[in-house]
Amino acid sequence: MRPEDEDRIATQLAKVMAVACVRNTQLETLHAGLTPVSHTGDGSDVIVEDAAGRRIPWSEVSRINDDEMRALMREIVDRLYTFHLRIDDPGFRAEIDRWAAMTAKWDAPKPDPILSAIPSVTPERN
């Protein structure tokens, strides 16, 4: 397969997996709600006061607790697993193709620097 075809397929697959397996999850619930007003635009002027009276800068506030993170990761893993199990099912593929249309105007993906830094050849073990 030509490199440009591999890139096109990987781009479309990454985007549709993001929609099907990440975006439409509990992440939407976590995203819902009020966003604090920031006159600086970066949140540096926003302070959260908790029930113990601690004043916490917005940049240091955890916006998701451990239980929410655990539930979110379980849901994403289950969706990725199901996606891979069903990818050869024609009915599932037809639905995926419809979802792909909503990603047409998304930015093109780029290689992640952390995953890209993993060596492509595993060194021999002694």
Side-chain angles (χ1 to χ4, degrees):
M1 184 179 302
R2 298 180 333 196
E4 56 270 17
D5 292 333
E6 288 179 1
D7 185 64
R8 180 183 46 77
I9 291 167
T11 294
Q12 186 165 3
L13 189 58
K15 289 179 178 183
V16 79
M17 288 178 76
V19 168
C21 303
V22 180
R23 182 173 181 165
N24 296 323
T25 63
Q26 295 173 51
L27 187 59
E28 291 293 337
T29 303
L30 295 170
H31 180 252
L34 300 175
T35 302
V37 174
S38 172
H39 295 293
T40 62
D42 64 0
S44 62
D45 58 338
V46 176
I47 303 294
V48 174
E49 186 171 342
D50 70 8
R54 296 182 303 171
R55 294 177 50 80
I56 308 167
W58 182 250
S59 61
E60 295 176 24
V61 172
S62 174
R63 294 165 185 86
I64 180 173
N65 66 37
D66 288 343
D67 290 338
E68 291 167 327
M69 179 62 109
R70 192 174 300 107
L72 175 62
M73 293 310 300
R74 283 183 180 137
E75 184 176 14
I76 291 171
V77 168
D78 290 350
R79 284 184 178 225
L80 288 165
Y81 174 74
T82 305
F83 186 97
H84 288 292
L85 286 178
R86 300 223 31 228
I87 195 63
D88 290 329
D89 177 292
F92 184 74
R93 287 294 297 267
E95 186 65 22
I96 293 300
D97 289 344
R98 283 191 286 280
W99 291 348
M102 76 172 64
T103 68
K105 294 185 179 181
W106 286 15
D107 293 344
K110 59 184 190 268
D112 177 81
I114 294 171
L115 294 180
S116 295
I118 297 171
S120 58
V121 177
T122 306
E124 288 186 36
R125 297 177 190 246
N126 295 330

